[in-house]
Amino acid sequence: MNKEDLKIIFNRKKQKIERKINKKGFVKEKLIAGFNLTTFDQFYNNWFSMEKFEKGCFYCGTTNKTSEALYRIQRDGKRPDATRGGKRGKRLELDRINPNLPYDNLDNIVWCCYWCNNAKSNFFTKNEFEPIAIEIGRAIKKIMEQH
Ligand SMILES: [Zn+2]
């Protein structure tokens, strides 16, 4: 993970307002939660470490390298593709352990694989998700051994 790639990930997670026009022609605005007060430099200096990144998914331990390999297996057509058109799963994502806290609370941000992020959603707490994550990690390891 270099600084430029991290910046891309960070910028995608900036808070924004999504505007959509509904069937009646009205503009609907929706706040998409993300980093609001935190600058990239603050994020980089106070949160990022190569060591943390190399540990992989906070929940199941899947590394970025494994995530990329799984992504390729799907995109090659060797497995059903769950990458949402190639948009997800290529690399580790940023997750809020507690989704009720703002992104600016950096202690609450962790690296997370796509599969854990998807399964945890905004529903399970960290403790509730723990046994699920262990099984996701096991399943991913098994898949990697088969390819
Ligand atoms: Zn995971």
Side-chain angles (χ1 to χ4, degrees):
M1 175 60 53
N2 62 47
K3 205 171 174 176
E4 285 313 300
D5 286 342
L6 187 68
K7 198 167 191 171
I8 292 167
I9 293 169
F10 177 84
N11 283 335
R12 282 192 192 137
K13 278 286 181 190
K14 272 190 186 166
Q15 189 155 297
K16 56 184 165 262
I17 293 170
E18 198 180 74
R19 288 186 178 82
K20 277 185 182 170
I21 299 172
N22 69 14
K23 285 177 190 166
K24 290 180 178 170
F26 293 110
V27 177
K28 285 257 175 186
E29 290 189 341
K30 189 179 163 193
L31 182 74
I32 310 291
F35 297 107
N36 186 25
L37 304 168
T38 310
T39 65
F40 174 71
D41 285 336
Q42 286 170 333
F43 177 69
Y44 184 77
N45 294 325
N46 299 324
W47 183 84
F48 179 77
S49 81
M50 207 55 207
E51 195 190 340
K52 209 190 310 183
F53 177 69
E54 276 167 2
K55 274 188 187 163
C57 174
F58 174 78
Y59 304 103
C60 78
T62 294
T63 62
N64 195 62
K65 223 177 173 179
T66 297
S67 190
E68 280 175 3
L70 285 170
Y71 179 87
R72 266 183 268 117
I73 289 165
Q74 292 174 90
R75 299 301 284 172
D76 289 350
K78 289 177 192 142
R79 281 186 74 87
D81 194 348
T83 64
R84 300 199 192 165
K87 285 185 192 147
R88 302 280 304 270
K90 193 169 189 174
R91 57 178 112 184
L92 296 178
E93 303 176 345
L94 299 176
D95 179 58
R96 286 176 293 173
I97 297 172
N98 176 349
N100 296 315
L101 296 175
Y103 275 84
D104 294 319
N105 186 335
L106 297 182
D107 294 337
N108 190 45
I109 305 288
V110 291
W111 286 114
C112 182
C113 74
Y114 164 60
W115 297 275
C116 281
N117 212 351
N118 199 44
K120 183 172 170 279
S121 63
N122 282 347
F123 183 70
F124 297 110
T125 64
K126 177 181 171 279
N127 286 347
E128 288 163 353
F129 189 65
E130 220 165 76
I132 301 166
I134 290 169
E135 289 307 321
I136 289 174
R138 277 194 193 132
I140 286 175
K141 253 188 207 138
K142 229 184 227 174
I143 292 166
M144 288 303 289
E145 284 163 12
Q146 289 162 4
H147 288 278

